[in-house]
Amino acid sequence: MASHEHKINHLDQPYYGPPIPPPTDPAPTGIERRDAYTLFCLAFRVLTLVLIALGVVVLVLWLVYQPTRLKAYVDSASLTRFDLVDNGTRLQFNLTVGVSIRNPNRKQAVLYRRLEAVALYGGEQFGYVDLPQMRQERKSTTEIRPSFQGQAPGAGVVVALFGREKEDGFFNINVKLHTRVCLKFIIVNSVEYRPDVDCYIRVPDPTNATAMAHGFAPTQCHVDDFS
Ligand SMILES: *[C@@H]1O[C@H](CO)[C@@H](O)[C@H](O)[C@H]1NC(C)=O
Ligand SMILES: *[C@@H]1O[C@H](CO)[C@@H](O)[C@H](O)[C@H]1NC(C)=O
Ligand SMILES: *[C@@H]1O[C@H](CO)[C@@H](O)[C@H](O)[C@H]1NC(C)=O
């Protein structure tokens, strides 16, 4: 209370002292604060511009190096067993195919997040293999060897087809690869694509010496675009 009164008294008195210099204390801190703020804004603006420029560069590079689709071939097929047993109700099979997949892209590596192979006969799936995840470098070829072994129920349509093709000496088998892949471009991962690989192979009947002598002809597969 006392100091309050003292202050009021002090203010009431006229001032005859030297002129009060303009307040020097608050001004610099204001300027400093403004400087810091300006600097922060500038840094933020520069950072934003750098990020945008980087994005544009990656986008332009991506457009220049549009990914081209993978290429796939069935190089080899070894069918050691393909029989209808139990009066045509079950199909016994032992098939190993060598599939080479080519990544023709100069800038994108391919990350296979999921890779599964299925084998079909007469439109009926009889074999399934889950293959491990893998990474495929730019401009490289990878060989995978899914092996289908076991038995599957044989449907009526398969029995008729089997009879015809047994006489012919060659079985027409469809091998498909279902994939989930990402493209790694510089440091950026693309969205996920699901290009399917579709191979129609003509494999000699292992019990037919004439057909076996003919052998297996390497076959190109159809591969979906990255889209
Ligand atoms: C095999 O199937 C045929 C018709 O599909 C039938 O006539 C025959 O009796 C069957 N044989 C045996 C041993 O089950
Ligand atoms: C399938 O064939 C391979 C040789 O090609 C053999 O090593 C393997 O034991 C066979 N599997 C079955 C289930 O018959
Ligand atoms: C064996 O295959 C040949 C074709 O390579 C075919 O002409 C022949 O009929 C087949 N033989 C048998 C016993 O199925």
Side-chain angles (χ1 to χ4, degrees), residues 4-208:
H4 187 225
E5 263 167 19
H6 171 78
K7 210 174 195 172
I8 287 169
N9 288 344
H10 173 78
L11 283 175
D12 282 345
Q13 285 167 12
Y15 182 73
Y16 300 112
I20 299 171
T24 50
D25 223 30
T29 50
I31 286 168
E32 264 165 29
R33 214 174 288 145
R34 226 173 37 231
D35 277 357
Y37 180 71
T38 311
L39 205 67
F40 174 76
C41 278
L42 189 70
F44 187 75
R45 227 179 278 171
V46 167
L47 193 71
T48 307
L49 284 177
V50 164
L51 283 179
I52 289 174
L54 211 65
V56 167
V57 165
V58 168
L59 185 70
V60 166
L61 286 176
W62 176 265
L63 290 176
V64 168
Y65 298 106
Q66 267 289 302
T68 47
R69 71 174 82 162
L70 302 170
K71 289 191 170 65
Y73 300 86
V74 178
D75 301 320
S76 64
S78 146
L79 186 66
T80 54
R81 176 147 208 194
F82 205 64
D83 293 318
L84 277 178
V85 295
D86 288 355
N87 204 16
T89 56
R90 281 187 300 133
L91 180 70
Q92 280 200 333
F93 53 90
N94 188 350
L95 168 71
T96 302
V97 289
V99 186
S100 63
I101 306 172
R102 171 106 188 124
N103 173 16
N105 293 295
R106 278 186 294 150
K107 295 287 169 193
Q108 293 97 340
V110 184
L111 310 174
Y112 293 82
R113 296 269 164 82
R114 185 135 184 77
L115 186 56
E116 55 190 38
V118 296
L120 300 93
Y121 186 64
E124 302 275 341
Q125 180 177 323
F126 65 88
Y128 169 88
V129 179
D130 198 7
L131 295 153
Q133 294 191 342
M134 61 178 193
R135 178 198 167 103
Q136 185 173 30
E137 296 307 326
R138 303 167 284 156
K139 279 221 162 282
S140 70
T141 305
T142 306
E143 168 100 1
I144 56 168
R145 294 186 66 78
S147 186
F148 308 98
Q149 299 178 8
Q151 44 183 286
V157 56
V158 171
V159 175
L161 180 69
F162 183 87
R164 274 205 312 278
E165 296 200 331
K166 182 101 182 158
E167 236 168 78
D168 190 35
F170 290 88
F171 297 112
N172 287 290
I173 295 171
N174 178 202
V175 174
K176 278 184 203 285
L177 303 179
H178 296 304
T179 70
R180 281 212 323 250
V181 305
C182 280
L183 299 175
K184 194 172 175 72
F185 180 66
I186 308 175
I187 52 161
V188 185
N189 275 8
S190 75
V191 294
E192 201 172 78
Y193 298 103
R194 299 180 173 209
D196 275 354
V197 178
D198 213 356
C199 315
Y200 291 90
I201 53 175
R202 193 164 177 265
V203 195
D205 175 4
T207 63
N208 184 324

